[in-house]
Amino acid sequence: MSYSIGEFAQMVGVSTSMLRYYETEGLLAPHRNEHNIREYSDYDVGWFQFLLHLKNTGMSLAELKQYTDWRSQGDDTIPERLDLLEQRKHLLELEIQALQQNMDVLNRKIVFYKDQLKGNKYAFVLYPKEKAES
């Protein structure tokens, strides 16, 4: 199947201007027909969706470009691509840990306020001391 830029944009959930930008940056290279009109394939859909996932992990434009460049060079660059993905995974794990800590504080504060409303008055402690293990 081939898709026009408008069809493709709708399929992947972005604007046509974003597609053009990604093309200008070398991240996307749609086929052009005899009239120089962009034609996107199912393969392009998969690739672009993967790029969006990488972008959503916090990967910078420079990192996306580097990954795309390595990908175009073939299997000899798999170690570099793997390293980049592992680095991004580690950073994402740290972000998830920080978000979980923030969620824990919010949950404790919510419990604190509910207790206050029930008449159970006590001081909120942001960082409670861990109970000593026996």
Side-chain angles (χ1 to χ4, degrees):
M1 288 283 310
S2 66
Y3 309 99
S4 70
I5 191 169
E7 292 169 329
F8 186 76
Q10 187 173 7
M11 288 175 69
V12 296
V14 300
S15 67
T16 56
S17 60
M18 182 177 182
L19 293 175
R20 289 185 189 97
Y21 175 73
Y22 270 55
E23 185 178 345
T24 300
E25 293 297 323
L27 299 171
L28 193 58
H31 169 76
R32 294 213 178 230
N33 68 16
E34 65 275 4
H35 304 291
N36 203 30
I37 296 174
R38 293 172 181 88
E39 291 181 338
Y40 296 89
S41 67
D42 290 328
Y43 180 80
D44 293 320
V45 172
W47 169 242
F48 192 75
Q49 288 173 333
F50 182 67
L51 277 178
L52 290 178
H53 284 292
L54 292 179
K55 180 178 178 257
N56 288 336
T57 68
M59 197 174 275
S60 69
L61 183 60
E63 290 171 314
L64 291 172
K65 285 180 179 183
Q66 182 63 76
Y67 185 92
T68 302
D69 185 46
W70 283 331
R71 177 180 172 261
S72 70
Q73 293 175 35
D75 289 351
D76 288 346
T77 64
I78 286 176
E80 290 85 357
R81 288 182 270 165
L82 177 60
D83 185 55
L84 179 61
L85 294 177
E86 286 176 336
Q87 287 176 35
R88 176 53 46 197
K89 179 184 175 205
H90 176 71
L91 292 172
L92 200 54
E93 288 169 342
L94 293 175
E95 289 177 31
I96 290 168
Q97 183 181 18
L99 287 171
Q100 187 59 56
Q101 289 171 345
N102 291 332
M103 179 68 84
D104 292 344
V105 169
L106 286 176
N107 284 333
R108 288 194 352 261
K109 192 67 167 184
I110 288 168
V111 167
F112 170 78
Y113 282 140
K114 286 182 177 181
D115 285 348
Q116 296 290 303
L117 291 173
K118 291 177 188 174
N120 186 4
K121 304 290 182 181
Y122 56 89
F124 179 77
V125 178
L126 183 58
Y127 298 108
K129 293 181 182 179
E130 297 294 324
K131 294 181 183 179
E133 292 186 30
S134 0

